[in-house]
Amino acid sequence: MSAPRQRDVPTDQRPAERAALGALTRAFPPELVDQVLLDSGRIEQGGRLLPARVVVYFVLATGLLGGHGHPDTARLLIDGLTREPWWPQGRSLPTGPAIDRARQRLGPEPLRRLFARTRPAPAARSTSAAWFRDLRLVALDGAIFDVPASAPNADFFGHPVGTTARPPSRTTGRTTAVQDQIGFPQARVSALVECGTDTVFTADVGPLPDHESALEAAIYPALTRGTLALADRGTTDPATWHAARAGGADLLWQVPSSLRLPITARLDDGSQLAEPGRERACPAQVRVIDYRLDTDPRHAPPHRLLTSLLDPAAAPAAELAARFVQQSRTDAALDHLTPAQPGPGPVLRSHHPDGIAQEIFALLLLRHAFPPARTTPAVRRHPTIHLIPALH
């Protein structure tokens, strides 16, 4: 199974794309690109057809131009770079294999560092959805992306697995279920997203078999004091909880309501205190908030949140639940990271894992530089929250 064939379009038919590519050097100035190349040890000696600086712009251009092929992207990019004072005049157009070799030399680290250097500042306090009182609201987000079915991608990222039934055995007459690899290899991405603005301010890329919590551990250092981190698939694993809190951030994580916790006190705001016991169900001293929504199906289980904010006066249970529900009803930022592409197959195009990481960080950088237009959401009735003071 191969990646879809990309199309090449004559450059004289692409004025909009040329204008967009011209904005790359304004959004990511050459001096900044050179600094991240220096920091990551990728500065090259002169003379190469594709210097590292140009390769960074090329990877960004592939994300900007969607499904168009490497030759078309290179023509458009070089057409724009010839207007830059630092571009050597008369340099020839690189071939596809030369581009692939240059991308392998570059690796993903410069794009990762450029993403970290260009993350936007926190939202203003006037953006109410981005704040809970004095705490900046962020959410853990995750997504899975198809990647081309090359041997390096399959070995590193892995395939999704499906269960199929084998025909009955001639000796036993029994049907057996087996697990088979299906579809394209897939990369897993975890990120921290600012609530209210959908700004992705830190992210990491890893193989599909990696558990989501393992990949999230790489982004926990971005959780610092003054932040409240929301997660709709939280965990009660003590090591994970403490890793997320190591920088001083507070947590508001959803866990299964069936989880039995050692409740030590019931508080006036309808929440409860729980502390670690012999069981691992409680990661630390936490407040437990149980609630139902008037929009829940009749026999649906209740919702349960754990938070490190222990003072009900500073963080009432009803307000925390309302903020969590508000965020859970918004679209995940990573769901709209890749551009739409006609036809089947992955949008990401590299046949090597380092190239896939490059492309994902390039898409995140482009989201910083050219944020999508924010539309006014459809007016939806906010569900009524009913706290459950003593679930178990």
Side-chain angles (χ1 to χ4, degrees):
M1 190 180 301
S2 60
R5 187 177 185 274
Q6 287 117 12
R7 59 192 184 279
D8 292 333
V9 179
T11 56
D12 59 358
Q13 297 179 16
R14 305 286 298 282
E17 284 83 352
R18 286 202 302 273
L21 288 172
L24 285 178
T25 54
R26 296 191 293 274
F28 308 104
E31 298 78 12
L32 176 59
V33 173
D34 287 348
Q35 185 60 55
V36 298
L37 289 168
L38 181 63
D39 293 344
S40 53
R42 294 296 190 274
I43 286 288
E44 297 175 335
Q45 296 180 348
R48 287 195 182 275
L49 179 60
L50 278 173
R53 179 198 287 180
V54 177
V55 182
V56 170
Y57 286 125
F58 176 82
V59 178
L60 290 167
T62 61
L64 200 59
L65 295 185
H68 294 283
H70 280 180
D72 185 32
T73 302
R75 283 196 298 270
L76 285 164
L77 178 64
I78 290 177
D79 180 57
L81 292 181
T82 55
R83 298 170 175 81
E84 297 291 333
W86 50 268
W87 180 258
Q89 298 301 315
R91 178 165 285 180
S92 60
L93 188 71
T95 63
I99 292 171
D100 291 340
R101 290 192 297 272
R103 289 187 59 183
Q104 289 180 26
R105 288 195 305 270
L106 181 71
E109 190 59 24
L111 278 297
R112 190 190 303 269
R113 288 176 181 262
L114 186 60
F115 174 69
R117 288 283 296 267
T118 57
R119 68 173 58 129
R125 296 299 181 101
S126 57
T127 307
S128 59
W131 295 88
F132 174 77
R133 300 196 173 189
D134 291 330
L135 298 175
R136 183 191 186 193
L137 284 176
V138 303
L140 274 72
D141 195 4
I144 292 173
F145 297 101
D146 288 345
V147 302
S150 65
N153 280 346
D155 290 343
F156 181 80
F157 290 115
H159 283 265
V161 175
T163 301
T164 57
R166 290 273 176 88
S169 168
R170 290 184 178 181
T171 56
T172 65
R174 295 178 180 176
T175 300
T176 57
V178 295
Q179 289 189 327
D180 294 317
Q181 294 181 344
I182 58 175
F184 288 94
Q186 291 182 329
R188 186 184 295 276
V189 180
S190 287
L192 287 172
V193 180
E194 183 179 62
C195 300
T197 65
D198 289 342
T199 298
V200 180
F201 64 93
T202 191
D204 202 17
V205 183
L208 179 66
D210 281 4
H211 191 274
E212 196 168 15
S213 61
L215 192 57
E216 287 169 353
I219 63 178
Y220 286 153
L223 292 174
T224 55
R225 190 174 303 279
T227 299
L228 177 60
L230 283 58
D232 59 5
R233 293 183 297 276
T235 175
T236 58
D237 173 58
T240 302
W241 182 273
H242 291 298
R245 292 215 64 210
D250 284 293
L251 309 180
L252 181 63
W253 286 7
Q254 182 169 256
V255 299
S257 60
S258 59
L259 193 68
R260 300 195 68 84
L261 296 171
I263 301 299
T264 58
R266 307 192 189 281
L267 305 177
D268 292 341
D269 70 335
S271 62
Q272 307 170 85
L273 286 179
E275 295 188 6
R278 286 176 296 181
E279 301 176 356
R280 292 173 56 86
C282 191
Q285 186 180 33
V286 295
R287 271 172 70 211
V288 184
I289 302 171
D290 295 314
Y291 64 94
R292 296 183 187 275
L293 302 176
D294 65 344
T295 54
D296 288 340
R298 182 175 179 182
H299 298 292
H303 308 272
R304 167 165 283 182
L305 303 176
L306 302 185
T307 182
S308 58
L309 296 169
L310 302 181
D311 183 359
E319 291 185 27
L320 287 173
R323 279 308 180 93
F324 190 91
V325 171
Q326 178 184 8
Q327 177 60 27
S328 67
R329 288 162 63 85
T330 61
D331 292 335
L334 293 181
D335 288 348
H336 307 289
L337 183 61
T338 56
Q341 172 178 293
V347 174
L348 303 173
R349 65 182 69 178
S350 178
H351 289 258
H352 192 276
D354 281 354
I356 293 297
Q358 284 177 353
E359 293 175 24
I360 289 173
F361 279 103
L363 291 170
L364 290 166
L365 282 158
L366 293 169
R367 188 182 175 92
H368 281 182
F370 312 109
R374 294 187 64 82
T375 58
T376 302
V379 177
R380 295 190 293 182
R381 184 181 72 83
H382 292 293
T384 302
I385 297 171
H386 302 283
L387 295 177
I388 305 173
L391 182 59
H392 54 70

